[in-house]
Amino acid sequence: ETKSPPIPEPIIFSEDIGYAKIMGLTFEESRDFSTIKSTYRRVIAQYHPDKVGAMGPEIREIAESKAKEINHAYQYFRKKFKADRSSDQ
């Protein structure tokens, strides 16, 4: 009887943990792209210019900076999961 080799655990990088924190994800949540995507949409909406526009220029600036961090984190995970899918084929 031939046993198939065990499926290896995904490699975890320190960037994964840092980007997960930026988006407010737990480590386990950061392993599921659909969870990342829904969290991204919810979190990025909080920093949308229409939401913070009336709060003054200082708050707008902070929100813009935070939105850039969140977008960067999302792009990191998007690329990572895309690379994982293409290497599986």
Side-chain angles (χ1 to χ4, degrees):
E1 179 178 327
T2 307
K3 291 185 178 181
S4 52
I7 299 171
E9 283 292 314
I11 298 170
I12 306 305
F13 298 101
S14 61
E15 290 90 0
D16 293 359
I17 296 166
Y19 287 131
K21 285 181 182 180
I22 288 171
M23 293 181 64
L25 295 163
T26 65
F27 174 72
E28 286 301 317
E29 291 170 332
S30 72
R31 298 172 79 178
D32 175 45
F33 188 70
S34 63
T35 302
I36 292 168
K37 189 173 185 178
S38 63
T39 300
Y40 166 76
R41 289 179 175 170
R42 180 179 44 80
V43 173
I44 200 69
Q46 297 172 353
Y47 297 97
H48 191 277
D50 292 343
K51 296 259 187 185
V52 298
M55 296 181 185
E58 192 173 301
I59 299 297
R60 268 196 314 268
E61 200 173 297
I62 292 168
E64 186 178 312
S65 174
K66 185 67 175 167
K68 285 180 183 177
E69 285 182 12
I70 293 165
N71 277 319
H72 186 72
Y74 179 70
Q75 293 306 318
Y76 169 83
F77 283 118
R78 206 172 123 224
K79 287 178 186 172
K80 178 180 178 167
F81 279 85
K82 187 176 184 178
D84 285 350
R85 279 195 308 265
S86 62
S87 67
D88 288 345
Q89 296 174 354

Coordinates of all heavy atoms in Angstrom, one line a residue:
E1 N 0.9 -1.2 0.0 CA 0.0 0.0 0.0 C 0.9 1.2 0.0 O 1.8 1.4 0.8 CB -0.9 0.0 1.2 CG -1.8 1.2 1.3 CD -2.7 1.1 2.6 OE1 -3.1 0.0 3.0 OE2 -2.9 2.1 3.1
T2 N 0.7 2.1 -1.0 CA 1.5 3.3 -1.1 C 0.7 4.5 -0.4 O -0.4 4.8 -0.7 CB 1.7 3.7 -2.6 OG1 2.2 2.5 -3.2 CG2 2.6 4.9 -2.7
K3 N 1.4 5.1 0.5 CA 0.8 6.3 1.2 C 1.3 7.5 0.5 O 2.5 7.6 0.1 CB 1.2 6.3 2.6 CG 0.6 5.2 3.5 CD 1.0 5.4 4.9 CE 0.3 4.3 5.7 NZ 0.6 4.4 7.1
S4 N 0.4 8.5 0.3 CA 0.8 9.7 -0.3 C 1.5 10.6 0.8 O 1.2 10.4 2.0 CB -0.3 10.5 -0.8 OG -1.4 10.6 0.1
P5 N 2.5 11.4 0.4 CA 3.2 12.2 1.4 C 2.3 13.2 2.1 O 1.3 13.6 1.5 CB 4.3 12.9 0.6 CG 3.8 12.9 -0.8 CD 2.9 11.6 -1.0
P6 N 2.6 13.5 3.3 CA 1.8 14.5 4.0 C 1.8 15.9 3.3 O 2.9 16.2 2.7 CB 2.3 14.6 5.4 CG 3.7 14.0 5.3 CD 3.7 13.1 4.1
I7 N 0.8 16.6 3.4 CA 0.7 17.9 2.8 C 1.5 18.8 3.7 O 1.2 18.9 4.9 CB -0.7 18.4 2.6 CG1 -1.5 17.5 1.7 CG2 -0.7 19.9 2.2 CD1 -2.9 17.8 1.6
P8 N 2.5 19.5 3.2 CA 3.3 20.4 4.1 C 2.6 21.6 4.5 O 1.7 22.1 3.9 CB 4.5 20.8 3.2 CG 4.0 20.7 1.8 CD 3.0 19.6 1.8
E9 N 2.9 22.0 5.7 CA 2.3 23.3 6.3 C 2.8 24.4 5.5 O 4.0 24.4 5.0 CB 2.7 23.4 7.7 CG 1.9 22.6 8.7 CD 0.5 23.0 8.8 OE1 0.2 24.2 8.9 OE2 -0.4 22.1 8.8
P10 N 2.0 25.5 5.3 CA 2.5 26.6 4.5 C 3.7 27.3 5.3 O 3.7 27.3 6.5 CB 1.3 27.6 4.4 CG 0.4 27.1 5.4 CD 0.7 25.6 5.7
I11 N 4.6 27.9 4.6 CA 5.7 28.5 5.2 C 5.2 29.9 5.8 O 4.5 30.6 5.1 CB 6.9 28.8 4.2 CG1 7.4 27.4 3.7 CG2 8.0 29.6 4.8 CD1 8.4 27.5 2.6
I12 N 5.5 30.1 7.0 CA 5.1 31.4 7.6 C 6.3 32.3 7.7 O 7.3 31.9 8.2 CB 4.5 31.1 9.1 CG1 3.4 30.0 9.0 CG2 4.1 32.4 9.7 CD1 2.3 30.3 8.1
F13 N 6.1 33.5 7.3 CA 7.1 34.5 7.3 C 6.8 35.5 8.4 O 5.6 35.7 8.7 CB 7.3 35.2 5.9 CG 7.7 34.2 4.8 CD1 6.7 33.7 4.0 CD2 9.0 33.9 4.7 CE1 7.1 32.9 2.9 CE2 9.4 33.0 3.7 CZ 8.4 32.5 2.8
S14 N 7.8 36.2 8.9 CA 7.5 37.3 9.9 C 6.6 38.4 9.3 O 5.8 39.0 10.0 CB 8.8 37.8 10.4 OG 9.6 38.4 9.4
E15 N 6.7 38.6 7.9 CA 5.9 39.6 7.3 C 4.4 39.2 7.4 O 3.6 40.1 7.5 CB 6.2 39.7 5.8 CG 7.6 40.3 5.5 CD 8.7 39.3 5.4 OE1 8.5 38.1 5.6 OE2 9.8 39.7 5.2
D16 N 4.1 37.9 7.3 CA 2.7 37.5 7.5 C 2.1 38.0 8.8 O 1.0 38.5 8.8 CB 2.6 35.9 7.4 CG 3.0 35.3 6.1 OD1 3.4 36.0 5.2 OD2 3.0 34.1 6.0
I17 N 2.9 37.8 9.8 CA 2.4 38.2 11.2 C 2.2 39.7 11.2 O 1.2 40.2 11.7 CB 3.3 37.7 12.3 CG1 3.3 36.2 12.2 CG2 2.9 38.2 13.6 CD1 4.4 35.5 13.0
G18 N 3.2 40.5 10.7 CA 3.1 41.9 10.8 C 1.9 42.4 9.9 O 1.2 43.3 10.4
Y19 N 1.8 41.9 8.7 CA 0.7 42.4 7.9 C -0.7 41.9 8.4 O -1.7 42.7 8.3 CB 0.9 41.9 6.4 CG 2.0 42.6 5.7 CD1 2.9 41.9 5.0 CD2 2.1 44.0 5.7 CE1 3.9 42.5 4.3 CE2 3.1 44.6 5.0 CZ 4.0 43.9 4.3 OH 5.0 44.5 3.6
A20 N -0.7 40.8 9.1 CA -2.0 40.3 9.7 C -2.4 41.3 10.8 O -3.6 41.7 10.9 CB -1.8 38.9 10.3
K21 N -1.4 41.8 11.6 CA -1.7 42.7 12.7 C -2.2 44.0 12.1 O -3.1 44.6 12.6 CB -0.4 43.0 13.5 CG -0.1 41.8 14.4 CD 1.1 42.2 15.3 CE 1.4 41.0 16.2 NZ 2.6 41.3 17.0
I22 N -1.6 44.5 11.0 CA -2.1 45.7 10.4 C -3.5 45.7 10.0 O -4.3 46.6 10.2 CB -1.2 46.1 9.1 CG1 0.2 46.5 9.5 CG2 -1.9 47.2 8.3 CD1 1.2 46.6 8.4
M23 N -3.9 44.5 9.5 CA -5.3 44.3 9.1 C -6.3 43.9 10.2 O -7.5 43.8 10.0 CB -5.4 43.4 7.9 CG -4.8 43.9 6.7 SD -4.8 42.8 5.3 CE -6.6 42.7 5.0
G24 N -5.7 43.7 11.4 CA -6.5 43.2 12.5 C -6.9 41.8 12.5 O -7.9 41.4 13.0
L25 N -6.1 41.0 11.8 CA -6.3 39.5 11.7 C -5.6 38.7 12.7 O -4.5 39.1 13.1 CB -5.9 39.0 10.3 CG -6.6 39.6 9.1 CD1 -5.8 39.3 7.8 CD2 -8.0 39.0 9.0
T26 N -6.1 37.6 13.1 CA -5.4 36.7 13.9 C -4.5 35.9 13.0 O -4.7 35.9 11.8 CB -6.3 35.7 14.7 OG1 -7.0 34.9 13.7 CG2 -7.3 36.4 15.6
F27 N -3.6 35.1 13.5 CA -2.7 34.3 12.7 C -3.5 33.3 11.9 O -3.3 33.1 10.7 CB -1.7 33.6 13.6 CG -0.8 32.6 12.9 CD1 0.1 33.0 12.0 CD2 -1.0 31.2 13.0 CE1 0.9 32.1 11.3 CE2 -0.3 30.3 12.3 CZ 0.7 30.8 11.4
E28 N -4.5 32.6 12.5 CA -5.3 31.6 11.8 C -6.1 32.3 10.7 O -6.2 31.7 9.6 CB -6.2 30.9 12.8 CG -5.5 29.9 13.7 CD -4.8 28.8 12.9 OE1 -5.3 28.3 12.0 OE2 -3.6 28.5 13.3
E29 N -6.6 33.5 10.9 CA -7.4 34.2 9.9 C -6.5 34.5 8.7 O -7.0 34.5 7.6 CB -8.1 35.4 10.5 CG -9.2 35.2 11.5 CD -9.6 36.4 12.2 OE1 -8.8 37.3 12.3 OE2 -10.8 36.4 12.6
S30 N -5.3 34.8 9.0 CA -4.4 35.2 7.9 C -4.0 34.0 7.0 O -3.3 34.2 6.0 CB -3.1 35.8 8.4 OG -2.3 34.8 9.0
R31 N -4.5 32.8 7.2 CA -4.2 31.7 6.4 C -5.3 31.4 5.4 O -5.3 30.5 4.6 CB -4.0 30.4 7.3 CG -2.7 30.7 8.2 CD -2.6 29.6 9.2 NE -1.9 28.5 8.5 CZ -1.6 27.4 9.1 NH1 -1.8 27.2 10.4 NH2 -1.1 26.4 8.5
D32 N -6.4 32.2 5.5 CA -7.6 32.0 4.6 C -7.8 33.3 3.8 O -8.2 34.3 4.4 CB -8.8 31.6 5.5 CG -10.1 31.5 4.7 OD1 -10.0 30.9 3.6 OD2 -11.1 32.1 5.1
F33 N -7.7 33.2 2.5 CA -7.8 34.4 1.7 C -9.1 35.0 1.7 O -9.3 36.2 1.7 CB -7.3 34.2 0.3 CG -7.2 35.5 -0.5 CD1 -6.2 36.4 -0.2 CD2 -8.1 35.8 -1.5 CE1 -6.2 37.6 -0.9 CE2 -8.1 37.0 -2.2 CZ -7.1 37.9 -1.8
S34 N -10.2 34.2 1.8 CA -11.5 34.8 1.8 C -11.8 35.6 3.1 O -12.4 36.6 3.0 CB -12.6 33.7 1.6 OG -12.6 32.8 2.7
T35 N -11.2 35.2 4.2 CA -11.3 35.9 5.4 C -10.5 37.2 5.3 O -10.9 38.3 5.7 CB -10.8 35.1 6.6 OG1 -11.6 33.9 6.7 CG2 -10.9 35.9 7.9
I36 N -9.3 37.1 4.7 CA -8.5 38.3 4.5 C -9.2 39.3 3.6 O -9.3 40.5 4.0 CB -7.2 37.9 3.8 CG1 -6.3 37.1 4.8 CG2 -6.4 39.2 3.4 CD1 -5.1 36.5 4.1
K37 N -9.9 38.8 2.6 CA -10.6 39.7 1.7 C -11.7 40.4 2.3 O -11.9 41.7 2.2 CB -11.0 39.0 0.4 CG -11.6 39.8 -0.7 CD -11.9 38.9 -1.9 CE -12.3 39.7 -3.1 NZ -12.5 38.9 -4.2
S38 N -12.5 39.7 3.1 CA -13.7 40.3 3.7 C -13.3 41.3 4.8 O -13.8 42.3 5.0 CB -14.7 39.3 4.3 OG -14.0 38.5 5.3
T39 N -12.2 40.9 5.6 CA -11.7 41.8 6.6 C -11.1 43.1 6.0 O -11.3 44.2 6.5 CB -10.6 41.1 7.4 OG1 -11.1 39.9 8.0 CG2 -10.0 42.0 8.5
Y40 N -10.4 42.9 4.8 CA -9.9 44.1 4.1 C -11.0 45.1 3.8 O -10.9 46.3 4.0 CB -9.1 43.6 2.9 CG -8.8 44.8 1.9 CD1 -7.8 45.7 2.2 CD2 -9.6 44.9 0.8 CE1 -7.6 46.7 1.3 CE2 -9.3 46.0 -0.1 CZ -8.3 46.9 0.2 OH -8.1 47.9 -0.7
R41 N -12.0 44.6 3.2 CA -13.1 45.4 2.8 C -13.8 46.2 4.0 O -14.1 47.3 3.9 CB -14.2 44.6 2.0 CG -13.7 44.2 0.7 CD -14.7 43.4 -0.1 NE -14.3 43.1 -1.4 CZ -14.9 42.2 -2.2 NH1 -16.0 41.6 -1.8 NH2 -14.4 42.0 -3.4
R42 N -13.9 45.4 5.1 CA -14.5 46.1 6.3 C -13.6 47.1 6.9 O -14.0 48.2 7.2 CB -14.8 45.0 7.3 CG -15.5 45.5 8.6 CD -15.8 44.4 9.6 NE -14.7 43.4 9.7 CZ -13.6 43.5 10.5 NH1 -13.4 44.6 11.1 NH2 -12.8 42.6 10.6
V43 N -12.3 46.8 7.0 CA -11.4 47.7 7.6 C -11.1 48.9 6.8 O -11.0 50.0 7.3 CB -10.1 46.9 8.0 CG1 -9.0 47.8 8.5 CG2 -10.4 45.8 9.0
I44 N -10.9 48.7 5.5 CA -10.5 49.8 4.6 C -11.7 50.8 4.5 O -11.4 52.0 4.4 CB -10.1 49.4 3.2 CG1 -9.3 50.4 2.5 CG2 -11.2 48.9 2.4 CD1 -7.9 50.7 3.1
A45 N -12.9 50.4 4.7 CA -14.1 51.3 4.6 C -14.0 52.3 5.8 O -14.5 53.4 5.6 CB -15.4 50.5 4.7
Q46 N -13.4 51.9 6.9 CA -13.3 52.8 8.1 C -12.4 54.0 7.8 O -12.6 55.0 8.4 CB -12.8 52.1 9.3 CG -13.6 50.9 9.8 CD -12.9 50.1 10.8 OE1 -11.8 50.3 11.1 NE2 -13.7 49.2 11.4
Y47 N -11.5 53.9 6.8 CA -10.6 54.9 6.5 C -10.9 55.7 5.2 O -10.1 56.4 4.7 CB -9.2 54.4 6.5 CG -8.8 53.8 7.9 CD1 -8.9 52.5 8.1 CD2 -8.4 54.7 8.9 CE1 -8.6 52.0 9.4 CE2 -8.1 54.2 10.1 CZ -8.2 52.8 10.4 OH -7.9 52.3 11.6
H48 N -12.0 55.4 4.6 CA -12.4 56.0 3.4 C -12.6 57.5 3.5 O -13.1 58.0 4.6 CB -13.8 55.4 2.9 CG -14.1 55.8 1.5 ND1 -14.7 56.9 1.2 CD2 -13.9 55.1 0.3 CE1 -14.9 57.0 -0.1 NE2 -14.4 55.9 -0.7
P49 N -12.2 58.3 2.5 CA -12.2 59.8 2.7 C -13.6 60.3 3.0 O -13.7 61.3 3.7 CB -11.8 60.2 1.3 CG -10.9 59.1 0.7 CD -11.5 57.9 1.3
D50 N -14.7 59.6 2.5 CA -16.0 60.1 2.8 C -16.4 59.9 4.3 O -17.2 60.6 4.9 CB -17.1 59.3 2.0 CG -17.0 59.7 0.5 OD1 -16.4 60.7 0.2 OD2 -17.5 58.9 -0.3
K51 N -15.7 58.9 4.9 CA -16.0 58.7 6.4 C -15.2 59.7 7.3 O -15.7 60.0 8.3 CB -15.6 57.3 6.7 CG -16.4 56.2 6.1 CD -17.4 55.7 7.0 CE -18.0 54.4 6.3 NZ -19.1 53.9 7.1
V52 N -14.0 60.1 6.8 CA -13.2 60.9 7.7 C -13.0 62.3 7.2 O -12.4 63.1 7.8 CB -11.8 60.3 7.9 CG1 -11.9 58.9 8.5 CG2 -11.1 60.2 6.6
G53 N -13.7 62.6 6.1 CA -13.5 64.0 5.5 C -13.9 65.1 6.4 O -13.2 66.2 6.3
A54 N -14.9 65.0 7.2 CA -15.4 66.1 8.0 C -14.6 66.2 9.3 O -14.9 67.1 10.1 CB -16.8 65.9 8.3
M55 N -13.6 65.3 9.6 CA -12.9 65.3 10.9 C -11.7 66.1 10.9 O -11.0 66.1 11.9 CB -12.6 63.8 11.2 CG -13.7 62.9 11.4 SD -13.2 61.3 11.8 CE -14.7 60.4 11.9
G56 N -11.4 66.8 9.8 CA -10.3 67.7 9.8 C -9.1 67.2 9.0 O -9.0 65.9 8.9
P57 N -8.2 68.0 8.6 CA -7.0 67.6 7.8 C -6.1 66.7 8.6 O -5.5 65.8 7.9 CB -6.3 68.9 7.5 CG -6.8 69.9 8.4 CD -8.2 69.5 8.9
E58 N -5.9 66.8 9.8 CA -5.0 65.9 10.6 C -5.5 64.5 10.6 O -4.8 63.6 10.4 CB -4.8 66.5 12.0 CG -3.7 65.8 12.8 CD -3.5 66.5 14.1 OE1 -3.2 67.7 14.2 OE2 -3.6 65.7 15.1
I59 N -6.8 64.3 10.9 CA -7.4 63.0 10.9 C -7.4 62.4 9.5 O -7.1 61.2 9.3 CB -8.9 63.0 11.4 CG1 -8.9 63.6 12.9 CG2 -9.5 61.7 11.3 CD1 -8.1 62.7 13.9
R60 N -7.7 63.2 8.5 CA -7.6 62.7 7.1 C -6.3 62.2 6.7 O -6.1 61.2 6.1 CB -8.0 63.9 6.1 CG -9.5 63.9 5.8 CD -9.8 64.8 4.5 NE -9.1 66.0 4.5 CZ -9.6 67.2 5.0 NH1 -10.8 67.2 5.5 NH2 -8.9 68.3 4.9
E61 N -5.2 62.9 7.2 CA -3.9 62.5 6.9 C -3.5 61.2 7.6 O -2.9 60.3 6.9 CB -2.9 63.6 7.4 CG -1.5 63.6 6.8 CD -0.7 64.8 7.2 OE1 -1.1 65.9 6.9 OE2 0.3 64.6 7.9
I62 N -4.0 61.0 8.8 CA -3.7 59.8 9.5 C -4.5 58.6 8.8 O -4.0 57.5 8.7 CB -4.2 59.9 11.0 CG1 -3.2 60.9 11.7 CG2 -4.2 58.6 11.7 CD1 -3.7 61.3 13.1
A63 N -5.7 58.9 8.5 CA -6.6 57.9 7.8 C -5.9 57.5 6.5 O -5.9 56.3 6.1 CB -8.0 58.4 7.6
E64 N -5.4 58.4 5.7 CA -4.8 58.1 4.4 C -3.6 57.3 4.6 O -3.3 56.3 3.9 CB -4.4 59.4 3.8 CG -3.8 59.3 2.4 CD -3.5 60.6 1.7 OE1 -4.3 61.5 1.7 OE2 -2.4 60.7 1.1
S65 N -2.8 57.6 5.7 CA -1.6 56.8 6.0 C -2.0 55.3 6.4 O -1.4 54.4 5.9 CB -0.8 57.4 7.1 OG 0.3 56.6 7.5
K66 N -3.0 55.2 7.2 CA -3.4 53.9 7.7 C -4.0 53.1 6.5 O -3.8 51.9 6.3 CB -4.5 54.1 8.7 CG -5.0 52.8 9.4 CD -3.9 52.1 10.2 CE -4.4 50.9 10.8 NZ -3.4 50.0 11.4
A67 N -4.7 53.8 5.6 CA -5.3 53.1 4.4 C -4.2 52.6 3.5 O -4.3 51.5 3.0 CB -6.2 54.1 3.6
K68 N -3.1 53.3 3.4 CA -2.0 52.9 2.6 C -1.4 51.6 3.2 O -1.0 50.7 2.5 CB -0.9 54.0 2.4 CG -1.3 55.1 1.5 CD -0.3 56.1 1.4 CE -0.7 57.3 0.5 NZ 0.3 58.3 0.4
E69 N -1.2 51.6 4.5 CA -0.7 50.4 5.2 C -1.6 49.2 5.0 O -1.1 48.1 4.7 CB -0.6 50.6 6.7 CG 0.5 51.5 7.2 CD 0.5 51.6 8.7 OE1 -0.2 50.9 9.4 OE2 1.2 52.5 9.2
I70 N -2.9 49.4 5.1 CA -3.8 48.3 4.9 C -3.8 47.8 3.5 O -3.8 46.6 3.2 CB -5.3 48.8 5.3 CG1 -5.3 49.0 6.8 CG2 -6.3 47.7 4.9 CD1 -6.5 49.8 7.3
N71 N -3.8 48.7 2.5 CA -3.7 48.3 1.1 C -2.4 47.5 0.8 O -2.4 46.5 0.1 CB -3.7 49.5 0.2 CG -5.2 50.0 -0.1 OD1 -6.0 49.2 -0.3 ND2 -5.4 51.3 0.0
H72 N -1.3 48.0 1.4 CA 0.0 47.3 1.2 C -0.1 45.9 1.8 O 0.3 44.9 1.2 CB 1.1 48.1 1.9 CG 2.4 47.5 1.6 ND1 3.1 47.6 0.4 CD2 3.3 46.9 2.4 CE1 4.2 47.1 0.4 NE2 4.4 46.6 1.6
A73 N -0.7 45.7 3.0 CA -0.8 44.4 3.6 C -1.7 43.5 2.8 O -1.4 42.3 2.5 CB -1.4 44.6 5.0
Y74 N -2.8 44.1 2.3 CA -3.7 43.3 1.4 C -3.0 42.8 0.1 O -3.2 41.6 -0.3 CB -5.0 44.1 1.1 CG -6.0 43.3 0.2 CD1 -6.6 42.2 0.7 CD2 -6.2 43.7 -1.1 CE1 -7.5 41.5 -0.1 CE2 -7.0 43.0 -1.9 CZ -7.7 41.9 -1.4 OH -8.5 41.1 -2.2
Q75 N -2.3 43.7 -0.5 CA -1.6 43.3 -1.7 C -0.5 42.2 -1.4 O -0.3 41.4 -2.2 CB -0.9 44.6 -2.3 CG -1.9 45.6 -2.9 CD -2.9 45.0 -3.9 OE1 -2.5 44.2 -4.7 NE2 -4.1 45.4 -3.7
Y76 N 0.1 42.3 -0.3 CA 1.1 41.3 0.1 C 0.4 39.9 0.2 O 0.9 38.9 -0.4 CB 1.7 41.6 1.5 CG 2.5 40.5 2.1 CD1 3.8 40.2 1.7 CD2 1.9 39.6 3.0 CE1 4.5 39.2 2.2 CE2 2.6 38.5 3.5 CZ 3.9 38.3 3.1 OH 4.6 37.3 3.7
F77 N -0.8 39.8 0.9 CA -1.5 38.6 1.0 C -2.0 38.1 -0.4 O -2.0 36.9 -0.7 CB -2.6 38.6 2.0 CG -2.1 38.6 3.4 CD1 -2.3 39.6 4.3 CD2 -1.5 37.4 3.9 CE1 -1.9 39.6 5.6 CE2 -1.0 37.4 5.2 CZ -1.2 38.4 6.1
R78 N -2.5 39.0 -1.2 CA -3.0 38.7 -2.5 C -2.0 38.1 -3.4 O -2.2 37.0 -4.0 CB -3.6 40.0 -3.2 CG -4.6 39.7 -4.2 CD -5.3 41.0 -4.6 NE -5.1 40.9 -6.1 CZ -4.7 41.9 -6.8 NH1 -4.5 43.1 -6.3 NH2 -4.6 41.8 -8.1
K79 N -0.8 38.7 -3.4 CA 0.3 38.1 -4.1 C 0.8 36.8 -3.6 O 1.0 35.8 -4.3 CB 1.5 39.1 -4.2 CG 1.3 40.3 -5.0 CD 2.5 41.2 -4.9 CE 2.2 42.5 -5.7 NZ 3.2 43.5 -5.5
K80 N 0.8 36.7 -2.3 CA 1.2 35.4 -1.7 C 0.3 34.3 -2.0 O 0.7 33.2 -2.4 CB 1.3 35.6 -0.1 CG 1.7 34.3 0.6 CD 1.8 34.5 2.0 CE 2.1 33.1 2.6 NZ 2.5 33.1 4.0
F81 N -1.0 34.5 -1.9 CA -2.0 33.5 -2.2 C -2.0 33.2 -3.7 O -2.2 32.0 -4.1 CB -3.4 33.8 -1.6 CG -3.5 33.5 -0.2 CD1 -3.1 34.5 0.8 CD2 -4.0 32.3 0.3 CE1 -3.2 34.2 2.1 CE2 -4.1 32.0 1.6 CZ -3.7 33.0 2.5
K82 N -1.8 34.1 -4.5 CA -1.8 33.9 -6.0 C -0.6 33.0 -6.3 O -0.7 32.1 -7.1 CB -1.7 35.2 -6.7 CG -1.8 35.1 -8.2 CD -1.8 36.5 -8.8 CE -2.1 36.4 -10.3 NZ -2.1 37.7 -11.0
A83 N 0.6 33.3 -5.7 CA 1.8 32.5 -5.9 C 1.6 31.1 -5.4 O 2.0 30.1 -6.1 CB 3.0 33.2 -5.2
D84 N 0.9 31.0 -4.3 CA 0.7 29.6 -3.7 C -0.2 28.8 -4.7 O 0.0 27.6 -4.9 CB 0.0 29.7 -2.3 CG 1.0 30.1 -1.3 OD1 2.2 30.2 -1.5 OD2 0.5 30.4 -0.1
R85 N -1.2 29.4 -5.2 CA -2.1 28.7 -6.1 C -1.4 28.3 -7.4 O -1.6 27.2 -7.9 CB -3.3 29.6 -6.5 CG -4.4 29.6 -5.4 CD -5.7 30.2 -6.0 NE -5.5 31.5 -6.6 CZ -5.7 32.7 -6.1 NH1 -6.1 32.7 -4.8 NH2 -5.5 33.8 -6.7
S86 N -0.6 29.2 -7.9 CA 0.1 28.9 -9.2 C 1.2 27.8 -9.0 O 1.5 27.0 -9.9 CB 0.7 30.1 -9.8 OG 1.7 30.7 -9.0
S87 N 1.8 27.7 -7.8 CA 2.8 26.7 -7.5 C 2.2 25.3 -7.3 O 2.8 24.3 -7.4 CB 3.7 27.1 -6.4 OG 3.0 27.1 -5.2
D88 N 0.9 25.3 -6.9 CA 0.2 24.1 -6.7 C -0.2 23.4 -8.0 O -0.4 22.2 -8.0 CB -1.1 24.3 -5.9 CG -0.8 24.6 -4.4 OD1 0.3 24.4 -4.0 OD2 -1.7 25.1 -3.7
Q89 N -0.2 24.1 -9.1 CA -0.7 23.5 -10.4 C 0.5 22.8 -11.1 O 1.6 23.0 -11.0 CB -1.3 24.6 -11.2 CG -2.5 25.1 -10.6 CD -3.1 26.3 -11.4 OE1 -2.5 26.8 -12.3 NE2 -4.2 26.8 -10.9

